[in-house]
Amino acid sequence: MSGLQLVSMWHDPGTRALRLNHNLHRFARMSTAQPLKKLVSGVVLDLDGTLLNTDGIVSEILKAFLVKYGKQWDGREALKIAGKTPFESAAVIVEDYGLPCATEEFISEITPIWCKIKALPGANRLIKHMRRHEVPVALASNSPKENIETKISYHQGWKESFSVIIGGDEVRNGKPSPEIFLEAANRLKIESSNLLVIEDSLPGVTAGKAAGMEVVAVPSLPKQNHLYNSADEVINSLLDLRPEKWGLPPFQDWIKGTLPIEPWHIGGPVIKGFGRGSKVLGIPTANLSTEEFSDLLLEHPSGVYFGWAGLSARGIYKMVMSIGWNPYFDNKEKTMEPWLLHKFNEDFYGEELRLIILGYIRPEANFPSLESLIAKIHEDGEIAEKALDLPLYAKYRDDPYLKMS
Ligand code: ADP
Ligand code: RBF
Ligand code: MG
């Protein structure tokens, strides 16, 4: 692709094209640069489940409301709800649980809470990044425009970052119909084929492909990746998005193979894990109770993270861990597997373990052999080991949370 072609493909042929061209050359030289899949000049984002943690909130709110009606949320509806309009979702719940109220009634009860939804990890970062680099971004959601406005009003800087916002009530047919995305292209004044859609739901992916756009799927439900064949790429979370694959400016916050995240804390007594004999592999992992931390586990995408670990009566250690279903073993439960980067002479079951998680390394993966899984985990350990010496991460070693009283 010549510089000239590149310029002509870019939406605004002014400074942005020159900067993009410059960036493309610069990041092509970087060792972490990803192969270019396609050049786009704008992005179309879905809201619920893609930028906002709707699934988390759905279970939280519905759980509380179903209790009110004497029912218990069993989580199975999550699958049925993904990608539906709020009205359709509410209808599913009202019917499935046989609630003694009309769908409209149910909606008006849950809407005020429904709207205060947390951003998904990586959503803020993505929005700010696109804005900083003046990449045109449309927000296209099946929700009515009014709900979209309410939901994004809780997030600083979001509204101003979207050149275009389209609600489900502004088109005849919602996703999976391509209508909403075609309207986005129309209003952005960018050809469909030059737009990249980021979507969590299957109807959204279908709509994006039908509109002739490039589609990155970020499934919000686990173990569903095989259903997303029609997407151009499937990633595990927004943390894994590589804009340079699509000719967009790369994120510049990766440091020595790590992505700093908003630090989070977790702690408790060390319990028995899967008893898979990780010690035989040379990789023992000190497990924490999953029930007690189900909210935290739900909130954080699966993947490999690192930080500091404090053990009462022993000390503070570097730590690298996986969160998720361990695809190689295809676990049924999402767990945390923290490996302390230190050689201990004995087990420490029952002892209080405190963790501060500071950064992200990579998504969980499957491997062709146990040897290759072990090699990769050792690589993660080396990355964490080195990164934790950076002042940015090293300073948390002295956090009082690690030294319990
Ligand atoms: P489990 O399935 O019970 O977690 P593992 O084989 O993973 O069994 O061993 C984990 C246990 O090993 C931890 O709970 C801890 O008591 C001990 N252990 C020893 N060294 C380490 C280490 N470096 N990191 C984590 N746990 C360790
Ligand atoms: N399991 C996987 O199936 N895929 C992974 O990519 C993976 N990455 C890991 C990274 C680290 C740093 C650690 C400590 C564990 C990882 N595991 C992974 C989990 C490993 O399979 C687990 O610790 C053992 O199954 C013990 O339960
Ligand atoms: Mg373990």
Side-chain angles (χ1 to χ4, degrees), residues 276 278 285 304 320 322 326-329 337 362 365 367 377 380:
R276 208 177 268 135
S278 334
T285 54
V304 178
V320 65
S322 71
N326 300 355
Y328 185 82
F329 298 101
E337 305 284 334
R362 64 171 176 93
F367 292 86
I377 298 177
D380 296 329

Side-chain angles (χ1 to χ4, degrees), residues 316-367:
I316 292 165
Y317 309 94
K318 291 175 174 175
M319 179 278 305
V320 65
M321 68 178 197
S322 71
I323 297 182
W325 293 265
N326 300 355
Y328 185 82
F329 298 101
D330 193 21
N331 294 344
K332 297 290 162 280
E333 195 192 356
K334 190 179 187 183
T335 61
M336 297 174 49
E337 305 284 334
W339 178 32
L340 278 53
L341 300 171
H342 178 84
K343 176 99 192 68
F344 293 92
N345 293 320
E346 66 276 307
D347 289 344
F348 40 82
Y349 289 110
E351 289 183 35
E352 177 79 8
L353 173 67
R354 297 276 174 95
L355 307 175
I356 300 186
I357 293 93
L358 299 169
Y360 174 75
I361 298 178
R362 64 171 176 93
E364 279 192 307
N366 203 341
F367 292 86

Side-chain angles (χ1 to χ4, degrees), residues 172-189:
R172 259 174 311 144
N173 302 297
K175 306 166 194 176
S177 157
E179 232 179 287
I180 198 158
F181 287 135
L182 293 172
E183 182 59 20
N186 220 352
R187 294 200 208 165
L188 284 173
K189 299 191 177 63

Side-chain angles (χ1 to χ4, degrees), residues 168-339:
D169 53 342
E170 295 179 80
V171 289
R172 259 174 311 144
N173 302 297
K175 306 166 194 176
S177 157
E179 232 179 287
I180 198 158
F181 287 135
L182 293 172
E183 182 59 20
N186 220 352
R187 294 200 208 165
L188 284 173
K189 299 191 177 63
I190 300 177
E191 246 180 72
S192 290
S193 61
N194 290 335
L195 285 171
L196 174 68
V197 170
I198 304 180
E199 257 291 350
D200 74 301
S201 75
L202 270 181
V205 170
T206 307
K209 287 319 293 176
M213 299 177 179
E214 297 296 305
V215 178
V216 171
V218 198
S220 46
L221 295 168
K223 303 192 185 205
Q224 301 287 312
N225 287 19
H226 60 285
L227 299 174
Y228 287 75
N229 296 324
S230 63
D232 297 286
E233 188 186 14
V234 183
I235 58 176
N236 185 58
S237 79
L238 292 178
L239 302 180
D240 298 317
L241 183 73
R242 304 296 169 138
E244 66 271 30
K245 282 190 182 176
W246 311 95
L248 297 169
F251 286 115
Q252 274 150 0
D253 45 3
W254 284 89
I255 306 166
K256 294 199 183 298
T258 70
L259 176 65
I261 58 170
E262 194 56 47
W264 54 282
H265 303 69
I266 187 169
V270 174
I271 61 159
K272 286 269 175 193
F274 291 107
R276 208 177 268 135
S278 334
K279 275 176 224 152
V280 179
L281 317 177
I283 307 171
T285 54
N287 300 75
L288 295 171
S289 153
T290 49
E291 286 121 51
E292 231 172 297
F293 303 109
S294 58
D295 292 356
L296 274 174
L297 279 179
L298 203 68
E299 191 175 325
H300 294 280
S302 62
V304 178
Y305 295 81
F306 69 95
W308 293 101
L311 267 177
S312 51
R314 286 179 198 266
I316 292 165
Y317 309 94
K318 291 175 174 175
M319 179 278 305
V320 65
M321 68 178 197
S322 71
I323 297 182
W325 293 265
N326 300 355
Y328 185 82
F329 298 101
D330 193 21
N331 294 344
K332 297 290 162 280
E333 195 192 356
K334 190 179 187 183
T335 61
M336 297 174 49
E337 305 284 334
W339 178 32

